[in-house]
Amino acid sequence: MRRWLLWLPLLALLVVLGFAARELMKPADRTVYSAMVGQPVPDFAPPPLVPGRPGVAAAEFRAGQPRLINIFASWCIPCIAEAPQLMRLKEMGVPIEGIAIRDTPSAVTAFLARNGDPYRAIGDDKVSRVQLSLGSSGVPETFIIDGQGKIVKQHVGDIRADEVDAIYQAWRAAR
């Protein structure tokens, strides 16, 4: 009987190591989600970035029509991959506003000419002030805003082709 008790600490150590190994093998979700989901859109009104196009103002998001805010940049590779999906959403009737992060008018104009232009308006966020106020941690990110100006959903990363329908349904539900 005593011999069995001598092995008990080793058995307990092996159980603890087994649990630790299992947790280390699980992939960690390192996605940073915004604490602003469920909250009203913060006040912002960055100036327009592209000549002849309006800027984006938070007050417009309280006008009764749900829409998307897409945080993007011309230098962002995933933003290029996301462009066809944004064009598809535009074709489905989803209004999309863009916030360009740390970009220039010429670079954004060239980006839109190459990849398509899904945006109704594009704001210039030179120092990421709007991006941070929304709780965005990178590019691209997309926020669905309901007609009262409340952030109802956040999509972190580029929108993939198989995610378009879900984003469209979330936009419709925000009506």
Side-chain angles (χ1 to χ4, degrees):
M1 181 69 170
R2 285 187 181 190
R3 281 192 159 177
W4 173 247
L5 291 175
L6 291 175
W7 290 98
L8 196 56
L10 180 61
L11 182 62
L13 176 66
L14 290 175
V15 168
V16 169
L17 288 176
F19 281 119
R22 186 186 74 183
E23 290 301 312
L24 288 172
M25 299 304 260
K26 275 199 292 191
D29 182 10
R30 299 188 187 276
T31 307
V32 178
Y33 293 100
S34 174
M36 293 300 294
V37 174
Q39 303 296 316
V41 172
D43 273 340
F44 58 79
L49 179 65
V50 177
R53 299 281 296 274
V56 178
E60 297 170 8
F61 293 98
R62 298 177 189 97
Q65 180 185 26
R67 58 184 84 189
L68 272 57
I69 299 176
N70 180 250
I71 310 293
F72 78 103
S74 65
W75 44 263
C76 163
I77 302 302
C79 297
I80 296 169
E82 166 179 79
Q85 284 67 253
L86 291 175
M87 291 302 293
R88 187 168 157 218
L89 286 164
K90 177 184 178 182
E91 291 165 6
M92 296 168 83
V94 178
I96 304 170
E97 317 291 332
I99 304 288
I101 306 301
R102 301 178 186 266
D103 228 320
T104 64
S106 60
V108 169
T109 301
F111 175 86
L112 297 175
R114 280 190 315 271
N115 302 299
D117 184 359
Y119 304 111
R120 293 177 9 161
I122 301 174
D124 183 8
D125 195 9
K126 287 189 186 321
V127 293
S128 300
R129 187 168 289 132
V130 175
Q131 179 185 24
L132 293 174
S133 73
L134 289 168
S136 169
S137 61
V139 289
E141 283 191 30
T142 303
F143 294 88
I144 299 173
I145 314 299
D146 71 8
Q148 286 71 48
K150 184 171 85 172
I151 301 170
V152 295
K153 184 172 175 59
Q154 174 189 24
H155 184 279
V156 177
D158 58 312
I159 298 170
R160 311 270 166 112
D162 61 340
E163 298 169 324
V164 170
D165 290 332
I167 290 173
Y168 178 75
Q169 292 304 323
W171 170 77
R172 284 187 54 115
R175 293 179 140 179

